[in-house]
Amino acid sequence: MKKVLFFLLSFLAFANVNAQIVNPVKWSSKVEKISDTEFNLVMEGKIEDNWHVYSQFTPEGGPLAAEFKFKDAKGNYELVGKVKESPYKKQYNDVFEVDEYYFEKKVTFIQKVKILNPNLTTIKATIDYQVCKEVCINQDNAFTFSLPKTVTANPEAVVVGVDTTQVDTTQVAKAEVKSTTTVEVAQPKEADDKGLWTIFIFALLGGFAATFTPCVYPMIPMTVSFFLKQSDNKSKGRFNAIFYGACIVLICFAITIPFHIFEGISRDIFSEISTNVYLNIFFFLIFVIFAISFFGAFEITMPSSLSNKVDKASDKGGLIGIFFMALTLIIVSFSCIGPALGFVFGTSLNSDGGALILSIAMLGFGFGLALPFMFFALTPSLLGNMPKSGGWLNTVKVVFGFIELALAFKFLSNADIGMDLHLLHREVFIAIWIAVFGALALYLFGKMTLPHDSPLSHLSVGRMLLGVTSLAFTVYLIPGLWGAPLKLISAFPPPMTYSESPQGFGSKTTVESNTKLPDGAELTVHNLVSFTDYQTGVAYAKKVNKPIMIDFTGKQCVNCRLMENNVWSDEKVLEILKNDLVLISLYGDDKKELPQAEQYVTKEGKEITTVGKKWSEFQITRFNNNSRPLYVLLDLNEKELNTPVAYTPNIDEYLAWLKDGVSKFK
């Protein structure tokens, strides 16, 4: 599958090699009146097909997050809260090893402001953002919001339909006034069928696993036998047992209904949940409490008064009685299935998938929990073949406790990254997992016992195999402390950039001790010597009489990293880059402020205030291109040796391009 995707990306990149200036996002803005002194500043972007814009909440270490600047606020107005945005999509990026938050088709940003200066007529703002397809572009757009000059009793919204690529005062003057206080927010794209099925199946397996706990497993033969013996005939008994299972599924689904209501009130509630630091800490604490409960320290039970009332309702008989029997099972066995329910809820709410994802997950969980009851109702003759209850059930429960404890730290990691505390670095996270799964291996091998364990005279085959698996997984994790990628669990630990040793513990980050770096140069990927200032690099190239290769790149550029990892790492390519060229890497997303003397405003009114904006503007004005990555070969007169190339994942094609440029220089 990866090879197919690699080929597809190669084809798309080749088709866009000679792409010129592109502007995939068309912006408009409007002002919504809330009260006499409060307004919503609304920025809406229409995104071309196959392009996507990253959210302002994109995690550190990933693609460039959207940033907003509101000018001349002091004494004129104040910002009320942070910029709100329409629901985004979430997808794991295995290059950056973080989740990407992005928008497709359309995006809406809203900033609430309170006016302090009654004579204020306009508010100016800018957005810096990254828009990507097979290449990434850094763009910034300016907005001019025209405030209403008169105040009326009725709320009204002043809509300014401004494409900020061509903002002028005539467009603002033509602002259309509409009687509305609502904002049309982009609808999130629904998850595809394959993704929903995957969620359903994993939740189903979780529900099925929950049946192998001391609270549920003994109930299976008892419940099925009860229905078969209490009914007039076997067909009716089987129907009642199957209906009992269906009620379990229905109850699990019904738990999610309030979340659909919440989502109707606030469409971005799931986005807020998944990125909220305090909710992530709350989920961490809940998971730890559930894990300790599974270890046998205490039991989490529902109030006895509730279970007694529901149990009495089940005596009514008929289908209603069966429904309350199913509800009784869930309440009474909560100490065993509660942690599993918490895991499904926690991961679903943290997925930004909306109430639909939660409902699909709970349907799967309910079906997995009900499946044994339904199966043995249809095949009662197999009841006698079920393994007898015993101490092994508590072992299963303890294993779930260890897994629950390990997963808890994913939520704590989210909170730590969100607050940028750098307390739970990647190495610390992996060390915790090594300790948890190492302890699990010791437990399974009988070297540790917990309060409710039965005496262990020997290891069963299943327990031994599970112990070996846990031990092997623990050993697999250990190299992660020294920078190994750990692709099997790449979705769980913090990214490599969020670590004590981003290059890997003990990695060589300097050239040979007897080699001195040129002034203004630094060591980059694959120990390549690179200049980050254009003029400094050109001067050095003239000194050593070598052609120049400009690498228009970005710190958060996915395809730049793919090129470096998959193409530049090739032995023949790397040899040319090291020996035959002077490499100049210009980062278009560098947020470092330029010295005041170097800041300027372009003819189009764009403010160049950072290093990244400087090199982005240089790329546009000099090479009429704003895509990244972009590779340009120049001679010592700073003229192009051949046609620049963008993302080129085919090694042979990229190597041929390098050789062609070097040959023409010679």
Side-chain angles (χ1 to χ4, degrees):
M1 183 63 183
K2 287 186 177 180
K3 290 184 178 180
V4 174
L5 290 174
F6 190 79
F7 174 78
L8 179 58
L9 286 172
S10 302
F11 173 79
L12 290 172
F14 178 77
N16 286 276
V17 163
N18 296 315
Q20 301 301 307
I21 297 296
V22 290
N23 185 26
V25 186
K26 303 297 182 184
W27 291 95
S28 62
S29 63
K30 63 182 178 181
V31 178
E32 291 184 342
K33 182 177 177 181
I34 302 173
S35 66
D36 289 348
T37 59
E38 292 183 317
F39 300 88
N40 278 334
L41 309 181
V42 184
M43 297 157 276
E44 296 178 314
K46 292 184 178 179
I47 308 169
E48 291 183 5
D49 292 342
N50 302 320
W51 290 86
H52 50 269
V53 173
Y54 291 105
S55 163
Q56 62 186 318
F57 302 116
T58 296
E60 181 182 351
L64 188 66
E67 291 187 4
F68 300 88
K69 294 180 180 178
F70 294 86
K71 300 181 180 181
D72 302 323
K74 187 175 181 180
N76 291 315
Y77 62 94
E78 63 180 25
L79 304 178
V80 181
K82 295 183 178 180
V83 175
K84 295 183 178 180
E85 58 184 40
S86 50
Y88 51 70
K89 295 184 68 176
K90 181 177 179 180
Q91 181 175 328
Y92 183 73
N93 186 311
D94 55 7
V95 176
F96 289 125
E97 297 183 335
V98 297
D99 289 323
E100 291 182 341
Y101 304 160
Y102 62 92
F103 307 95
E104 292 181 334
K105 305 291 186 183
K106 187 178 181 183
V107 60
T108 300
F109 296 107
I110 304 174
Q111 174 63 63
K112 184 178 178 181
V113 296
K114 183 176 182 180
I115 305 302
L116 304 178
N117 179 4
N119 298 320
L120 184 67
T121 58
T122 61
I123 293 177
K124 292 185 178 182
T126 59
I127 175 176
D128 290 332
Y129 63 97
Q130 190 174 73
V131 56
C132 294
K133 192 166 59 173
E134 68 271 12
V135 294
C136 290
I137 302 170
N138 270 71
Q139 293 190 321
D140 55 356
N141 281 282
F143 298 89
T144 299
F145 298 95
S146 180
L147 302 177
K149 295 181 179 179
T150 58
V151 178
T152 60
N154 297 323
E156 61 183 13
V158 179
V159 181
V160 185
V162 182
D163 180 351
T164 57
T165 57
Q166 297 178 341
V167 177
D168 58 42
T169 55
T170 57
Q171 289 176 308
V172 177
K174 294 178 180 179
E176 179 184 3
V177 180
K178 296 183 180 180
S179 298
T180 176
T181 57
T182 61
V183 180
E184 181 184 353
V185 179
Q187 300 294 319
K189 185 178 179 181
E190 299 294 344
D192 56 39
D193 293 340
K194 183 179 179 181
L196 293 178
W197 275 110
T198 301
I199 293 167
F200 178 83
I201 291 172
F202 274 104
L204 183 148
L205 293 174
F208 182 71
T211 62
F212 293 95
T213 55
C215 310
V216 181
Y217 188 80
M219 297 295 295
I220 297 173
M222 293 173 56
T223 304
V224 173
S225 299
F226 170 80
F227 284 123
L228 294 178
K229 291 178 181 179
Q230 294 297 321
S231 303
D232 298 334
N233 54 69
K234 290 184 178 181
S235 297
K236 185 178 180 181
R238 290 174 180 173
F239 171 81
N240 289 341
I242 292 173
F243 181 75
Y244 175 82
C247 289
I248 293 175
V249 178
L250 178 63
I251 292 168
C252 289
F253 172 77
I255 295 173
T256 70
I257 292 177
F259 291 90
H260 287 269
I261 299 174
F262 298 152
E263 190 176 45
I265 297 172
S266 174
R267 285 194 52 82
D268 57 353
I269 186 171
F270 282 85
S271 297
E272 293 175 1
I273 289 174
S274 65
T275 58
N276 188 284
V277 169
Y278 301 104
L279 283 176
N280 274 288
I281 294 175
F282 172 76
F283 285 133
F284 163 74
L285 294 174
I286 290 296
F287 272 47
V288 170
I289 292 171
F290 279 150
I292 295 173
S293 171
F294 267 0
F295 292 150
F298 51 82
E299 285 195 359
I300 302 173
T301 59
M302 300 289 278
S304 58
S305 57
L306 177 62
S307 58
N308 291 334
K309 289 180 180 179
V310 175
D311 185 49
K312 288 182 180 179
S314 65
D315 295 334
K316 295 181 179 180
L319 298 181
I320 295 178
I322 294 174
F323 172 82
F324 281 104
M325 284 182 65
L327 186 57
T328 302
L329 170 74
I330 292 176
I331 293 174
V332 172
S333 61
F334 185 79
S335 61
C336 290
I337 67 172
L341 277 171
F343 172 70
V344 173
F345 256 80
T347 51
S348 297
L349 292 176
N350 205 264
S351 69
D352 301 315
L356 175 64
I357 298 298
L358 180 61
S359 293
I360 293 294
M362 287 302 293
L363 275 175
F365 180 85
F367 192 73
L369 187 63
L371 191 61
F373 295 94
M374 296 179 173
F375 175 77
F376 287 109
L378 295 174
T379 57
S381 60
L382 297 178
L383 279 172
N385 297 329
M386 289 181 62
K388 294 183 179 180
S389 301
W392 66 273
L393 287 175
N394 188 69
T395 301
V396 173
K397 188 176 178 182
V398 171
V399 170
F400 286 162
F402 277 105
I403 295 173
E404 197 100 9
L405 182 61
L407 294 175
F409 284 92
K410 171 61 178 172
F411 295 100
L412 186 61
S413 172
N414 290 343
D416 182 62
I417 293 173
M419 297 179 73
D420 200 28
L421 296 176
H422 288 270
L423 298 177
L424 191 61
H425 282 118
R426 180 182 175 88
E427 294 90 345
V428 178
F429 183 97
I430 294 172
I432 292 171
W433 270 40
I434 290 172
V436 170
F437 287 99
L440 173 58
L442 291 175
Y443 172 79
L444 291 169
F445 287 133
K447 303 301 180 182
M448 290 171 52
T449 57
L450 290 171
H452 299 297
D453 286 331
S454 301
L456 188 64
S457 59
H458 66 280
L459 291 181
S460 65
V461 174
R463 182 164 181 157
M464 184 270 294
L465 291 175
L466 194 58
V468 170
T469 302
S470 180
L471 179 60
F473 183 65
T474 303
V475 174
Y476 168 79
L477 293 174
I478 293 174
L481 296 172
W482 288 271
L486 303 181
K487 293 183 180 180
L488 286 179
I489 62 164
S490 57
F492 291 96
M496 191 72 72
T497 54
Y498 200 81
S499 64
E500 296 176 3
S501 304
Q503 302 294 331
F505 178 77
S507 64
K508 294 181 180 180
T509 56
T510 60
V511 237
E512 290 78 4
S513 57
N514 59 351
T515 302
K516 184 180 179 181
L517 288 174
D519 292 338
E522 61 182 37
L523 209 62
T524 184
V525 61
H526 307 306
N527 281 341
L528 288 169
V529 176
S530 174
F531 293 85
T532 56
D533 179 77
Y534 176 72
Q535 296 299 340
T536 305
V538 170
Y540 181 76
K542 291 179 179 180
K543 179 180 178 181
V544 297
N545 193 34
K546 288 183 180 181
I548 302 160
M549 189 179 94
I550 306 178
D551 167 29
F552 287 105
T553 184
K555 296 179 179 179
Q556 300 166 323
C557 169
V558 177
N559 286 326
C560 302
R561 301 295 86 78
L562 287 174
M563 286 293 294
E564 293 164 0
N565 296 337
N566 301 331
V567 180
W568 285 18
S569 59
D570 179 78
E571 186 176 332
K572 294 179 181 179
V573 172
L574 194 56
E575 183 180 359
I576 294 177
L577 294 176
K578 280 188 174 182
N579 302 320
D580 300 333
L581 297 166
V582 172
L583 178 63
I584 302 176
S585 300
L586 304 180
Y587 290 86
D589 57 0
D590 192 336
K591 294 295 183 182
K592 189 187 301 179
E593 287 284 330
L594 286 169
Q596 193 68 34
E598 295 182 24
Q599 297 182 13
Y600 66 97
V601 179
T602 66
K603 294 179 181 179
E604 295 77 19
K606 185 185 296 185
E607 296 180 354
I608 307 301
T609 57
T610 65
V611 173
K613 289 182 178 181
K614 173 184 176 179
W615 298 132
S616 293
E617 184 65 19
F618 171 66
Q619 180 184 358
I620 291 172
T621 55
R622 176 69 186 272
F623 300 103
N624 196 35
N625 191 300
N626 61 352
S627 299
R628 285 201 305 269
L630 182 72
Y631 306 104
V632 185
L633 289 175
L634 302 177
D635 62 18
L636 299 182
N637 294 319
E638 302 178 48
K639 294 182 179 180
E640 296 176 22
L641 291 168
N642 54 10
T643 304
V645 297
Y647 177 64
T648 311
N650 185 289
I651 294 175
D652 292 335
E653 183 181 337
Y654 191 78
L655 181 61
W657 175 78
L658 284 175
K659 288 181 176 180
D660 175 64
V662 173
S663 175
K664 288 180 178 177
F665 176 83
K666 292 179 179 179

